[in-house]
Amino acid sequence: MSEAVDAFNIMVYRQLKRFVRAKSRLFGSIVNPLIWMVFFGLGWSSLFKGSMAKALFGGYSYLDFLAPGVVMMTVFMGGFISGVTVLWDKEFGFLKELLVAPASRTAGMAGRAFGDALVATIQGALILAAIIPLARDINPGGIPVTLAAALLTGFAFTSLGITIALKISSMEGFHIIVNFIMMPLLFLSGAFFPIDPLPEWMKVLAYLNPLTYSVDLARISMLGSGSMNPLIDTVVLAASSLILIGSAALLFREATID
Amino acid sequence: MDAIVAENLTKRFGELVAVDHVSFKVKQGEIFGFLGPNGAGKTTTISMLITLRKPDEGEAWVAGLSVAKKPAEIRRRIGVVFQDPSVDRELTGWENLWIHGVIYGVPKNSLRRRIRSLMEFVDLWEKKDTPVKHYSGGMVRRLEIARALIHEPEILFLDEPTLGLDPQTRAKIWDYIEDIRRREGTTIFLTTHYMDEAERLCDRVAIIDHGRIVALDTPENLIRRLGGDVVYLHSSSDRLEELASMLSETGLASDYKIIDGKLMLSVRDASKAMPEIFEAARKLGVKISEISYKRPSLGDVFLHYTGRSLRDSEGSWKETARIVVRRRR
C-alpha cells in the first residue's frame, strides 16, 4: 500500500518539477486564455450591451459571463494537453521506465493525472487573478469552490488526454486530437455562449460534455448563478473523473512496449 | 543456481516468428551476450525476460521466478537499460534517479547515498543538477546504467548498450559494465550486434538469427572455430602462388585464396603470423606493396554459423521493420 502511495506521490513530484522547469510553457498557457478574454471578450462585449444582452447571458454582462468560462478553458486545455503528452513519454521513452517498474501502474497513472491537475489548477488560478479587474461582478468568496472545481476538471481531462494518448500511437495524431476533440469540447461547454438557445443536437452534445458542468459550477461559484444545480454539476464531474482515470489506468495496466 | 533459464521461448507477431523456441541458461555472475543482426529477435527476447511481453509459447525463469507467474517480483530484482533512451529529459540527472529509486521502494536515506555513489561511479556527480536534455548521448547512457543499478538488482539487462556511441564512449561503457560485475556481482545479460563488444565483455555468447540460437559458446571458441584472422597481402610479384603454398605447407596459414594480385591468408593469430610472412616473402623475393589483416567480424562469425552473409539477411530485418511499422498504425 505504502508503495502505491510512493508511486502516486513521486509522479505528482515529476509533473510539478516539469511544470516549474518549462517556463515558456507556463507563459504560453497563461497568455492564450488572456488573449481570449481581452480580444474575444472585450470585442463581443462592445456589441452585447444593455438589458437585452443581460437577458441573453443570465443577467450578467458578457465579460462577467465569459470569465468563468475562460478560467475553466485554461484548466481544461492545460490538463488535457498535459495528459496527451503521454505521447511524448511514449516517444522519448520515459513510459518504458514506468512500465518495467514493480510499482502499481494504476497508482503511477493516477499520480501523474493528479500532478497535471494541480498544475492546471495553478494556471487557472493565475488566469482568475488576471481577469478579476476585467470582470467586475466576481464574488471573491466563491474562489475556493472555483479552484476545487478546477482541480476536479483538471483531473478529469488529464485522464481523458492520457486515455487518448495511450490509444493512439503516433505523434502526428496530436493535432488531430486538438482539432477534433479539444476544440469541439471547448465550444460545446457553455464557456463562450449559453447552451440553452442552441439547436437540439448541439444541446445534447453539450450535456454529454463534462466540461459543461465545470463551466456551470465555476459560473455559480464566481457569479452566483448558473443554469444547473451545483450538486448535479459536482456529481457529474466527480463521476466523469472516476470513469476517465479508470479507463486511463486500465489501458496503462495492459500497455506493452513497442 | 542459474540467473536466467529460458525454455522454448517463442513470440510471434502475425506471421513473423520473432523468437522461435529459444532455450538457454545464464549462470549467476556471468556476462552473457545475445549477438545478432538487427531484427534477429534480441529485443523481443529481452522484453519477454523483463516481463513486458508475454511469450506465446515456452517459459522463462529470471532470478528463479517464472516470468508468467511472478512478473512483479522479477521487476524488483532486475535493472533494465533499454535500447532507446528512457529518461525524462526535462528533469535533472539526480531527479531521474530519485524518481526511479522511489518507484522501486528504496528507503529515502539509503537512496540519497546510493544515488551519490552511483553518479560518482559513472562520473556524472558534477552534472547531477543539469537537466538531462543538456547531456550528451554517452552521458545519458551512463545515467541510465546508474539508474538501472539504484535498487541493487541481481540481474542487469542491457539492450545494445553502446549503439550509436563514439569509440571512446563505447570503451568507457565497457569499463563500467565490467566494474559493475566486480563491484556488485551482478549478472549481466546484454544484446549487441558488435562482435568486438561481445568479445570484450561476454563470458558466453549466443548468436541469434531469425529468432533462433545458431551457436552458443565463449567468444574465444566461436572465433577459434573460424580459424582466426585473415591477412590481406598485395603484391605485383608472380611468385605469390609459391609464397602462399609455402606458408600453408609450414602450417602457418590454414587456407589461402588469390584474387587479382591480392593474397588472402587464414591464420590463427595475425600479429604473430605477419613477421613470418615477411620473412618468407623476403626469402622468395616477393615485394609486398601492402599488407593488412582483419579480425573476424560479426559478419564472418555469422556467415560461418548461418551460411549466409549479414547482407543476405537484411531482407528479413526490413521485413521485420515493416511489420513493426504496420503494428504501430
Side-chain angles (χ1 to χ4, degrees):
Chain A
M1 188 60 209
S2 82
E3 263 189 17
V5 173
D6 277 345
F8 182 93
N9 287 342
I10 199 70
M11 285 306 286
V12 174
Y13 165 91
R14 176 199 182 223
Q15 297 311 115
L16 290 177
K17 278 276 177 192
R18 282 176 69 91
F19 171 66
V20 175
R21 270 307 126 65
K23 303 229 163 45
S24 63
R25 218 179 305 146
L26 171 65
F27 186 71
S29 69
I30 289 168
V31 166
N32 184 304
L34 275 183
I35 288 174
W36 277 85
M37 190 67 194
V38 171
F39 294 102
F40 194 83
L42 282 178
W44 281 113
S45 70
S46 57
L47 194 70
F48 297 136
K49 272 186 185 148
S51 54
M52 186 205 66
K54 288 214 165 184
L56 278 176
F57 299 112
Y60 304 107
S61 75
Y62 184 64
L63 269 180
D64 285 337
F65 175 86
L66 186 63
V70 166
V71 170
M72 281 309 177
M73 171 182 98
T74 311
V75 174
F76 162 68
M77 294 207 308
F80 186 71
I81 289 177
S82 21
V84 176
T85 57
V86 164
L87 268 182
W88 271 255
D89 284 351
K90 254 180 173 175
E91 193 74 9
F92 297 112
F94 183 75
L95 205 67
K96 278 190 217 160
E97 156 81 351
L98 289 184
L99 286 174
V100 78
S104 148
R105 288 184 179 181
T106 305
M109 243 332 135
R112 190 193 200 282
F114 187 76
D116 281 337
L118 274 180
V119 167
T121 306
I122 295 167
Q123 291 170 336
L126 291 172
I127 286 296
L128 181 58
I131 63 180
I132 281 178
L134 284 172
R136 273 158 300 165
D137 282 341
I138 291 174
N139 163 28
I143 290 176
V145 180
T146 309
L147 293 183
L151 191 61
L152 212 51
T153 304
F155 193 71
F157 286 102
T158 306
S159 307
L160 178 66
I162 293 171
T163 305
I164 293 170
L166 286 174
K167 267 281 177 206
I168 64 167
S169 50
S170 75
M171 296 279 281
E172 292 82 48
F174 179 71
H175 293 286
I176 298 173
I177 296 171
V178 168
N179 286 322
F180 287 90
I181 298 178
M182 200 173 92
M183 295 317 279
L185 284 177
L186 196 54
F187 282 115
L188 288 175
S189 67
F192 305 120
F193 41 79
I195 294 164
D196 287 330
L198 294 178
E200 207 54 39
W201 66 271
M202 276 176 98
K203 233 154 92 176
V204 172
L205 290 178
Y207 283 114
L208 287 174
N209 177 5
L211 189 59
T212 303
Y213 303 87
S214 310
V215 171
D216 193 59
L217 197 56
R219 208 161 268 147
I220 294 169
S221 56
M222 283 166 69
L223 303 175
S225 68
S227 56
M228 284 174 288
N229 184 325
L231 198 66
I232 293 176
D233 288 338
T234 313
V235 169
V236 170
L237 263 186
S240 326
S241 295
L242 276 178
I243 293 169
L244 290 168
I245 189 62
S247 63
L250 214 64
L251 276 178
F252 190 54
R253 233 164 51 196
E254 299 306 317
T256 57
I257 51 159
D258 273 313
Chain B
M1 199 189 82
D2 291 310
I4 303 171
V5 178
E7 271 175 19
N8 288 321
L9 219 48
T10 301
K11 185 76 198 176
R12 295 185 191 87
F13 297 123
E15 282 171 29
L16 179 94
V17 187
V19 177
D20 192 356
H21 297 89
V22 160
S23 303
F24 60 91
K25 285 178 183 172
V26 178
K27 293 174 205 142
Q28 212 151 34
E30 186 173 40
I31 301 184
F32 186 89
F34 242 41
L35 180 69
N38 295 327
K42 303 188 300 276
T43 300
T44 309
T45 307
I46 279 209
S47 61
M48 287 189 280
L49 295 177
I50 64 177
T51 75
L52 281 188
R53 282 188 191 285
K54 290 196 176 81
D56 292 326
E57 258 180 66
E59 172 64 302
W61 291 265
V62 174
L65 300 158
S66 151
V67 292
K69 289 176 199 133
K70 304 268 177 192
E73 283 84 346
I74 290 176
R75 287 169 186 197
R76 228 173 284 280
R77 292 160 178 238
I78 61 172
V80 182
V81 178
F82 293 100
Q83 190 168 331
D84 302 316
S86 64
V87 283
D88 189 327
R89 292 166 46 80
E90 303 283 329
L91 300 184
T92 67
W94 194 90
E95 287 162 352
N96 267 287
L97 299 195
W98 178 254
I99 289 175
H100 180 94
V102 174
I103 288 181
Y104 278 76
V106 180
K108 305 261 160 73
N109 278 333
S110 53
L111 178 56
R112 267 177 241 279
R113 277 197 304 275
R114 186 88 181 138
I115 290 177
R116 173 152 197 178
S117 118
L118 283 167
M119 285 194 98
E120 282 171 347
F121 168 59
V122 295
D123 300 313
L124 282 176
W125 182 244
E126 272 164 31
K127 294 274 182 188
K128 68 182 162 71
D129 295 324
T130 307
V132 174
K133 63 181 167 195
H134 300 306
Y135 280 25
S136 69
M139 287 160 73
V140 169
R141 213 10 66 115
R142 273 143 60 194
L143 182 72
E144 290 185 305
I145 290 174
R147 184 179 65 179
L149 294 171
I150 289 280
H151 55 288
E152 301 185 40
E154 292 165 35
I155 304 164
L156 179 63
F157 289 89
L158 303 165
D159 195 1
E160 297 276 6
T162 65
L163 189 69
L165 300 179
D166 62 74
Q168 278 138 314
T169 313
R170 292 182 66 204
K172 197 99 208 258
I173 299 278
W174 292 343
D175 290 341
Y176 290 131
I177 293 173
E178 285 173 335
D179 283 350
I180 289 164
R181 178 175 47 183
R182 242 195 318 273
R183 262 172 59 129
E184 324 237 337
T186 317
T187 305
I188 296 168
F189 181 99
L190 66 87
T191 72
T192 181
H193 68 278
Y194 299 116
M195 184 66 205
D196 56 345
E197 185 159 294
E199 201 184 337
R200 158 79 194 270
L201 286 175
C202 298
D203 301 315
R204 286 189 309 141
V205 174
I207 295 181
I208 181 164
D209 176 41
H210 283 322
R212 290 205 198 95
I213 291 180
V214 292
L216 198 165
D217 210 332
T218 62
E220 300 80 63
N221 285 346
L222 290 174
I223 292 168
R224 192 171 304 139
R225 267 183 251 159
L226 287 188
D229 302 337
V230 182
V231 175
Y232 300 88
L233 193 151
H234 293 252
S235 171
S236 51
S237 163
D238 50 9
R239 302 185 71 184
L240 217 50
E241 181 77 43
E242 213 176 315
L243 173 68
S245 58
M246 192 175 123
L247 288 169
S248 74
E249 267 160 38
T250 61
L252 190 70
S254 56
D255 194 12
Y256 70 88
K257 227 179 255 172
I258 299 173
I259 301 166
D260 302 335
K262 189 163 115 183
L263 172 63
M264 281 179 275
L265 293 157
S266 301
V267 299
R268 171 143 294 183
D269 184 348
S271 53
K272 287 188 183 123
M274 268 159 62
E276 294 186 45
I277 294 171
F278 284 128
E279 185 64 28
R282 202 182 49 81
K283 274 187 200 154
L284 286 176
V286 172
K287 197 166 172 289
I288 298 170
S289 58
E290 200 183 316
I291 190 162
S292 61
Y293 80 94
K294 210 176 102 196
R295 306 238 61 198
S297 62
L298 167 62
D300 302 314
V301 176
F302 193 76
L303 179 69
H304 182 84
Y305 287 104
T306 64
R308 285 178 309 110
S309 73
L310 274 172
R311 193 169 302 225
D312 292 337
S313 71
E314 250 174 44
S316 72
W317 82 256
K318 273 184 193 144
E319 177 185 302
T320 315
R322 214 176 305 123
I323 287 167
V324 170
V325 169
R326 212 180 303 135
R327 280 171 47 78
R328 286 195 170 179
R329 293 270 149 80

